[in-house]
Structure formats: structure tokens, C-alpha cells
Amino acid sequence: MMRFVSPTFAAAHAAAAHASLTADIGGERPWLRFARFLLFAVLLLAAAFLVVGIALAALPGLSHQISSEHLPDGPLRLADEGTFALLLGFLLAAPAAAILGAAALAWRQPLSAFLWPRRRFDAMQFGVGMLAMTAVGVITVPLYLLMGSEWNPPILDPRYADSTRITYVLAIVAGLLAAAAAEEVVFRGVLLRLTGLVTRAPLVLCLVNGVLFSAFHLDPDPVAFVARALPGGVWTWAALRLGGVEFAIGAHLATNLFIGLFWDPLSEAALRRDSAWIDLGPEVLTAVIMIVFVERLANRAAGVEPARSARPAP
């Protein structure tokens, strides 16, 4: 079947099929280790939720921000949005740390074995992922405007007090970094490692990971479901090709920051809404561009030059 696809894709697919994030993590009786993982996960998640519960009980005003459908509008809206972002990051980071810790205990591996196996954290991959996604976000703004979207960047909205803009930026950077890292650790880290015990087929892993990632957000809108599954699959491909989750964290963070800074206040962007299928156009374009970025980065890391058409000798 591979003879019907391009050699470039075939080579990339073969490399992804032997990714370090789906390599054998050792140990006999893998299903027994998986059972141990479930046990550790239950215990550590219970501890994490206990910590979260104590924190929310000590600060009752915070739980109201999460439970309300939208934050009240007014001059101090951005200050409340910053608090919402920090709380969101905390609520996602606590269980993510528990799941990562459970996996490390069950397989008796360092935490890095589920994030960037056999190497150190690569800050360049994180930075490239963030810059690439930011650039794509700028490119897609005109497309969304042509499709009828309204553009009223919260960070520039004159209704909000100037004194709250800097704190809003700092708060959502911190909160969304924690949130993006938490989701990537769980889905492109631990989940990818565990599904890799069953199959190392890259396209299957991308599909499964993307679908589960989208389902996690509990949005019943089918268009929104596909719109989240697409980047979930792309970031899975990035983790497979680059051998770690750094690029995915950077791209995920940039996506959420672009929304929170230049489209909607963060709590409003999180609300469910009906979408048209045409809205997937920019999402598909974004996925294609990001895969190109990933492949360029992966080929550069492997020391492979992009294929060029052969020319006759003079």
C-alpha cells in the first residue's frame, strides 16, 4: 500500500512508527503494570482532588468563578479573567501531575520517560511550536473575518481598565501554560505511551488521541468536536516525530493565548456554542501548516535534507 503514497510521507510514517514515545518501556506482564497504574492513579487523583477541594474551600470566591456561565462584564473584567486562567491551570495541573506520577510509579521509570524519553527537555522545540502556532493564528485571522466572525480583542477593548491589562497577560500566560502542559502531559505523554503498548501505528494513534482529547472537553457540538480532534491528532504526530511533547505544549499554549488575548475573554471562549461546518476551513489549513513545520523540524533534527527533484547532469 505504501507504494501508492509519496516517499516523503512513507519515510515520515516509518519514523513515527518507531518513535521513542511508543517504544517498549520495559517490564514483564504489561497488563499487571497497567493494573498497578490504575491503582496508583486512583490514589494519587484522590489526593490531588483533596488538595483542590481544600484550596477551593479556603477561597470560596474561586469556585464561583468556575461554576458561573460567564464572568460579569465591567472595567475589572480582565482581572477576573486572569484569576479564572490561574484557577483553570491549577485545576488541570493537579490531576495531570497525579496521572504522570502514577505512570512513573507503575513502570518504575523517570517522569521524563513519558514526556521526552532518553533526552532532556528541548526548549527550542517548545519555542518553535509556540512561534509557529502564533504565526498561523495571525494568518487565519483574515479568514475568520471573511467568514463573518467579529474581532474585538479583549486586550485592546476600551471597556476594560488599563491597569488590568498587564496583570491579565501575565495571569493567562501562567495559567494557560499550566493548562496546556497538563493536557499535553496526559494526552501526548501518558496516554500516547499507554496506547503505544497496544499499537505503534502512527495514524491510529493520532486518530485515537485526537478523538479522546476532543471528548475530554465535553462539547456536544460536532463541529467543535472535529475542530479539537484535528489539533489533537496533529500534536500527537508532532510528539511521535519529535520524540517529546515540547512542541505540542508550545503550540497548544499559543493557540489558547491567541484566543484569550485577541478573540474572546478566556471564560467566554470556553462557553459552548454552535458552529457551522465551514468553520473547519481555517482549522484544516492550520493542521496542514503545522504538520509542515513538524516535518521540517524533524528532518532538521535527523540531519535529512528535504527531497529535491532530480536534475540531469550537465
Side-chain angles (χ1 to χ4, degrees):
M1 183 176 178
M2 278 298 176
R3 63 182 176 177
F4 296 107
V5 301
S6 72
T8 301
F9 172 77
H13 185 272
H18 294 85
S20 59
L21 270 172
T22 55
D24 183 22
I25 50 179
E28 300 178 354
R29 295 181 291 181
W31 293 110
L32 178 59
R33 289 184 178 271
F34 182 71
R36 289 173 55 186
F37 163 71
L38 293 179
L39 175 61
F40 285 133
V42 169
L43 295 175
L44 292 179
L45 282 172
F49 289 135
L50 177 62
V51 171
V52 169
I54 292 173
L56 293 179
L59 301 168
L62 295 181
S63 59
H64 173 71
Q65 284 191 312
I66 288 294
S67 61
S68 62
E69 293 196 1
H70 59 82
L71 295 177
D73 212 357
L76 300 180
R77 169 75 178 272
L78 293 184
D80 292 335
E81 292 288 343
T83 303
F84 175 85
L86 292 172
L87 182 56
L88 178 65
F90 172 63
L91 291 177
L92 290 175
I99 291 172
L100 178 61
L105 288 171
W107 274 273
R108 298 178 182 175
Q109 296 286 333
L111 299 178
S112 61
F114 297 87
L115 306 174
W116 39 82
R118 299 193 296 273
R119 64 171 175 79
R120 296 182 178 180
F121 173 82
D122 191 332
M124 187 190 76
Q125 287 191 15
F126 172 82
V128 171
M130 191 169 181
L131 290 175
M133 200 66 192
T134 300
V136 173
V138 172
I139 292 172
T140 56
V141 167
L143 296 179
Y144 283 113
L145 295 180
L146 288 173
M147 292 162 55
S149 296
E150 295 183 4
W151 194 50
N152 187 23
I155 196 65
L156 303 177
D157 196 322
R159 294 175 299 169
Y160 304 139
D162 291 338
S163 59
T164 63
R165 300 184 197 278
I166 296 298
T167 55
Y168 174 63
V169 172
L170 295 176
I172 70 166
V173 168
L176 293 182
L177 175 58
E183 292 186 346
E184 294 307 316
V185 164
V186 172
F187 287 95
R188 263 62 68 178
V190 176
L191 178 62
L192 182 56
R193 260 308 204 179
L194 297 185
T195 50
L197 297 174
V198 179
T199 178
R200 300 188 74 181
L203 298 184
V204 173
L205 291 171
C206 290
L207 177 62
V208 170
N209 204 287
V211 167
L212 292 177
F213 172 69
S214 187
F216 168 75
H217 290 82
L218 302 176
D219 193 332
D221 179 30
V223 178
F225 188 94
V226 176
R228 287 192 179 96
L230 269 175
V234 171
W235 296 333
T236 302
W237 180 262
L240 292 172
R241 291 289 282 127
L242 302 175
V245 300
E246 301 98 326
F247 183 95
I249 293 175
H252 195 157
L253 172 61
T255 299
N256 292 344
L257 280 178
F258 203 83
I259 293 171
L261 290 175
F262 300 110
W263 279 110
D264 294 308
L266 194 59
S267 64
E268 190 172 321
L271 296 178
R272 298 166 185 164
R273 63 192 74 184
D274 293 331
S275 305
W277 287 103
I278 190 66
D279 293 340
L280 290 177
E283 301 294 339
V284 173
L285 176 62
T286 298
V288 171
I289 294 175
M290 293 305 291
I291 288 175
V292 172
F293 268 106
V294 169
E295 287 305 305
R296 295 285 295 184
L297 193 59
N299 289 335
R300 179 179 177 182
V304 177
E305 289 294 328
R308 294 185 175 88
S309 58
R311 295 181 178 178

